[in-house]
Amino acid sequence: MTHEIAVIPGDGIGKEVTPAAVDVLEALEIDFEFVEADAGDSLKEATGEALPQETYDLAASADATLFGAAGETAADVILPLRDAVDSFVNIRPAKAYPGIDAVRPETDLVFLRENTEGVYAGHEDRLTEDVATLTRVVTESASAELGEFACEYVSESDDHDGFTIVHKANVMRETDGVFRDTIKSVADENGVETDEVLMDAFATRVCLEPEQFDVIACPNLAGDVLSDLAAGLVGGLGLLPSANVGSERGLFEPVHGTAPDIAGEGVANPAATIISAAMMLEFLGYDEQAHAVHEAVEATLEEGPRTPDLGGDASTDDVTDAIIERL
Amino acid sequence: MTHEIAVIPGDGIGKEVTPAAVDVLEALEIDFEFVEADAGDSLKEATGEALPQETYDLAASADATLFGAAGETAADVILPLRDAVDSFVNIRPAKAYPGIDAVRPETDLVFLRENTEGVYAGHEDRLTEDVATLTRVVTESASAELGEFACEYVSESDDHDGFTIVHKANVMRETDGVFRDTIKSVADENGVETDEVLMDAFATRVCLEPEQFDVIACPNLAGDVLSDLAAGLVGGLGLLPSANVGSERGLFEPVHGTAPDIAGEGVANPAATIISAAMMLEFLGYDEQAHAVHEAVEATLEEGPRTPDLGGDASTDDVTDAIIERL
Ligand SMILES: CC(C)[C@H](C(=O)O)[C@@H](O)C(=O)O
Ligand SMILES: CC(C)[C@H](C(=O)O)[C@@H](O)C(=O)O
């Protein structure tokens, strides 16, 4: 069966790391049909639109989408694309790799970020000249869906004993109360262990004892900030992949941005995008190939070649070729 | 002129570190009248109320309040107390001390946290069985007040060149847009330099290059989470003081909680509360004495004695006595 894969490189280094990931996927000789589409700052400059309807439609109909990065228009591109694939969870692993400098080398976390609501639900008003409001939305249904997913996620692998619910229900009592209580009761029904930590306390503790945490379920903005914090602990955004998973489709993207300082030089680190492509392979059921890509990336991170962000002097192509050779 | 100081030890180690800070203040022989009041979990158990009206009224009329910690009832105690002193900014320095183990010893930050609104404004609703909402409130007036304060704060000292506005205005366009734009224009009017960083990017960057940041102005929840993150970078909450400043009064409290694991053992680290007391001295205009307390705490952190959280075996009293001797 052919899988249609939408490929949206976007801006900056997105244009370099996305083709690199496609090269890796092509080397696997799976029956993929790649369809490229455009989005982002440069498109907006040229056409007035950051995300054309046809790009949205492509993501909404393809089996999976690989996305690079967008600049100033990131929110206008990525938030609708998450919606196009009907994604309810954003999976963000943050793991330190052997041989790579990390602030906390013991870090090995997976964030399961609620991907549809919270402050991202986006109802804002200017009530008076002085007062602006935003309606933060939390539903039992979205929380339950995340909870079910978290239970499956930790049950499918022997690596995980349960998960941690991170929230701020001592202040956002009703909304984060719904989030916490719903997920906790889904987990209880499924016989999955959970514990809970307030999001501020989590921020302190994950710096001091990252090894105490494993899988973390959290609201949308908490997931945004805390996974970026974890990126800092493992040495930067350059290595963080992500998977926006829906029930039928998915959108796979590195957590990093467009890196304007190095864009166009051919030295961007393709690892995060290639690991995102491996997450796409898992999502589509190609577990063996996904495993091979993960292993090849890890070996290349450990043994080189490395791009300048990791202290090496290899190009994006050098690293991509090395990964393909190790498949 | 006598200053009336409300002293609210609260729960757990609050009952140990607050008297320690009072001992230090008494050693300075300033004309303070200390009035003690109760709040917190144990009071709630005994009387059904975590924060009695008389404690609130005391904080609302005293010149300054020294608070320890509260347990489960923390939000019911500390949020109304911040309101009682009409505090618009929560000053949270996060600094690594020489000789103390820190994840990032280069960290030396001051968070200026908006202290009245954001998600803490607290309008929550259960719209349907499924849907809960919270109205996040951001006003031009509160943002301007924080902006004015930040300008004064950085201008008063030669240590600061300007400040960084941290926000999430790419998603919360209207609310954090008001926050960012208002503060930026106040700073421009005052000739104070600012830059801005998205709160997720800040979380990554502060781990990787804390020395790039200095004074940070941010919304309420961002300040809560990011200052706790910084606490992780400097080695834990045990050393972080805070000052809730209003135009006439202030509330001074360590950032740490009740530490139930060591409460009652007489080994809690009093440093954060004593530094909070030094911030109170500054607020009341006793700059010289504030300076002396800061120096005495720093010398004691560096040379000992130290409590067990810092690898020593001294008691709270030993450390307090050593600080007093160094005044
Ligand atoms: C670009 C922005 C809207 C986005 C988010 O906040 O989700 C980004 O920070 C991310 O985490 O993918
Ligand atoms: C106890 C809680 C309500 C409080 C807050 O969120 O402000 C605490 O975390 C703090 O930072 O002082």
Side-chain angles (χ1 to χ4, degrees):
Chain A
M1 195 186 100
T2 309
H3 287 292
E4 188 182 60
I5 311 295
V7 178
I8 309 174
D11 300 312
I13 63 166
K15 292 199 200 318
E16 299 162 46
V17 294
T18 317
V22 172
D23 286 348
V24 172
L25 291 170
E26 278 180 335
L28 296 169
E29 299 184 359
I30 300 172
D31 191 5
F32 283 148
E33 192 196 336
F34 296 99
V35 185
E36 201 167 312
D38 210 354
D41 292 7
S42 43
L43 186 71
K44 184 169 181 183
E45 251 167 61
T47 68
E49 253 188 334
L51 183 69
Q53 189 65 40
E54 64 256 36
T55 302
Y56 181 95
D57 290 344
L58 178 68
S61 65
D63 295 302
T65 298
L66 201 58
F67 175 69
E72 292 294 313
T73 57
D76 299 317
V77 172
I78 192 64
L79 300 180
L81 284 179
R82 287 177 189 158
D83 175 66
V85 303
D86 234 336
S87 167
F88 58 88
V89 58
N90 191 331
I91 311 174
R92 300 193 156 195
K95 158 168 154 176
Y97 290 98
I100 304 291
D101 259 357
V103 175
R104 304 268 25 189
E106 315 84 342
T107 310
D108 187 359
L109 304 169
V110 180
F111 291 87
L112 304 177
R113 168 183 176 186
E114 200 287 319
N115 216 12
T116 65
E117 52 189 35
V119 300
Y120 288 74
H123 305 295
E124 291 196 292
D125 278 301
R126 188 76 178 235
L127 297 186
T128 68
E129 209 185 303
D130 192 40
V131 181
T133 60
L134 179 149
T135 305
R136 181 175 192 264
V137 178
V138 176
T139 64
E140 262 190 35
S141 43
S143 305
E145 196 163 20
L146 181 68
E148 301 280 1
F149 183 87
C151 289
E152 268 171 51
Y153 188 89
V154 301
S155 305
E156 265 169 15
S157 143
D158 294 338
D159 297 346
H160 310 297
D161 278 336
F163 63 93
T164 302
I165 307 170
V166 172
H167 61 80
K168 185 79 189 177
N170 61 336
V171 170
M172 303 191 274
R173 295 179 187 206
E174 191 74 36
T175 48
D176 270 15
V178 165
F179 182 83
R180 178 197 53 199
D181 296 347
T182 306
I183 294 182
K184 174 103 179 65
S185 71
V186 167
D188 288 349
E189 278 162 31
N190 285 279
V192 170
E193 261 184 66
T194 56
D195 58 0
E196 51 171 296
V197 182
L198 290 170
M199 94 181 262
D200 49 335
F202 181 84
T204 305
R205 286 184 51 197
V206 76
C207 294
L208 296 174
E209 40 180 28
E211 68 283 358
Q212 295 293 317
F213 298 103
D214 177 20
V215 176
I216 295 116
C218 53
N220 209 340
L221 183 63
D224 178 49
V225 176
L226 298 176
S227 64
D228 270 28
L229 157 51
L233 299 180
V234 304
L237 291 165
L239 298 173
L240 262 71
S242 79
N244 299 276
V245 166
S247 44
E248 305 198 8
R249 282 166 239 295
L251 169 72
F252 303 84
E253 41 154 353
V255 175
H256 65 66
T258 56
D261 49 324
I262 57 158
E265 291 176 21
V267 296
N269 185 349
T273 313
I274 296 174
I275 310 173
S276 303
M279 295 178 82
M280 182 181 92
L281 290 167
E282 277 164 56
F283 175 77
L284 294 170
Y286 298 102
D287 288 348
E288 211 175 296
Q289 290 91 332
H291 187 72
V293 174
H294 278 300
E295 300 269 291
V297 173
E298 291 196 20
T300 306
L301 286 173
E302 192 162 356
E303 291 155 35
R306 292 183 179 169
T307 43
D309 58 307
L310 300 179
D313 58 7
S315 68
T316 308
D317 287 346
D318 296 337
V319 172
T320 309
D321 291 345
I323 290 171
I324 292 174
E325 254 163 55
R326 287 190 172 104
L327 284 176
Chain B
M1 194 187 100
T2 309
H3 287 292
E4 188 184 58
I5 311 295
V7 178
I8 310 174
D11 300 312
I13 62 166
K15 292 199 200 317
E16 299 161 47
V17 293
T18 316
V22 172
D23 286 348
V24 172
L25 291 171
E26 279 181 333
L28 296 169
E29 298 184 359
I30 299 173
D31 191 5
F32 284 147
E33 191 197 340
F34 297 99
V35 185
E36 201 168 314
D38 210 352
D41 292 9
S42 44
L43 186 71
K44 184 170 181 181
E45 251 167 60
T47 67
E49 253 189 333
L51 183 68
Q53 189 65 41
E54 64 256 35
T55 302
Y56 181 96
D57 290 344
L58 177 68
S61 66
D63 295 301
T65 298
L66 200 59
F67 175 69
E72 292 293 313
T73 57
D76 299 317
V77 172
I78 192 64
L79 300 180
L81 284 179
R82 287 178 188 157
D83 175 65
V85 302
D86 234 334
S87 168
F88 57 89
V89 58
N90 191 331
I91 311 174
R92 298 191 159 199
K95 159 169 156 175
Y97 290 97
I100 303 291
D101 259 358
V103 174
R104 304 266 28 187
E106 315 85 343
T107 309
D108 186 1
L109 304 169
V110 179
F111 291 88
L112 303 178
R113 168 182 177 186
E114 199 289 318
N115 217 12
T116 64
E117 52 188 35
V119 301
Y120 287 74
H123 303 295
E124 291 195 291
D125 277 302
R126 188 75 178 236
L127 297 186
T128 68
E129 209 184 304
D130 193 39
V131 180
T133 60
L134 178 149
T135 305
R136 181 175 192 265
V137 178
V138 176
T139 64
E140 263 190 35
S141 44
S143 305
E145 195 164 19
L146 181 67
E148 301 280 1
F149 184 86
C151 289
E152 268 170 53
Y153 189 88
V154 301
S155 306
E156 266 169 15
S157 144
D158 294 336
D159 298 346
H160 311 297
D161 279 335
F163 63 93
T164 302
I165 307 171
V166 172
H167 61 79
K168 185 79 187 174
N170 61 336
V171 169
M172 303 191 276
R173 295 180 187 205
E174 191 73 36
T175 47
D176 270 14
V178 165
F179 182 84
R180 178 197 52 198
D181 297 346
T182 306
I183 294 180
K184 173 102 178 66
S185 72
V186 168
D188 288 350
E189 277 162 33
N190 285 279
V192 171
E193 260 185 66
T194 56
D195 58 359
E196 50 170 300
V197 181
L198 290 169
M199 92 182 264
D200 48 337
F202 180 84
T204 306
R205 286 184 51 197
V206 76
C207 293
L208 296 174
E209 39 180 28
E211 66 283 359
Q212 295 292 318
F213 299 104
D214 177 20
V215 176
I216 295 115
C218 53
N220 209 338
L221 183 63
D224 177 48
V225 176
L226 299 176
S227 64
D228 269 29
L229 156 52
L233 299 180
V234 305
L237 291 166
L239 297 175
L240 262 71
S242 79
N244 299 276
V245 166
S247 43
E248 305 197 11
R249 280 166 240 295
L251 168 71
F252 302 83
E253 41 153 353
V255 175
H256 65 66
T258 56
D261 50 323
I262 56 158
E265 291 175 20
V267 296
N269 186 349
T273 312
I274 296 174
I275 309 172
S276 303
M279 295 178 82
M280 181 180 93
L281 290 168
E282 277 163 57
F283 176 77
L284 294 171
Y286 298 103
D287 288 350
E288 208 175 300
Q289 291 92 333
H291 186 73
V293 174
H294 279 297
E295 299 270 288
V297 173
E298 292 196 18
T300 306
L301 286 172
E302 192 162 356
E303 291 154 35
R306 292 181 178 171
T307 43
D309 57 307
L310 300 178
D313 58 8
S315 68
T316 308
D317 287 346
D318 295 337
V319 173
T320 308
D321 291 345
I323 291 171
I324 291 173
E325 256 163 55
R326 287 189 172 104
L327 284 177

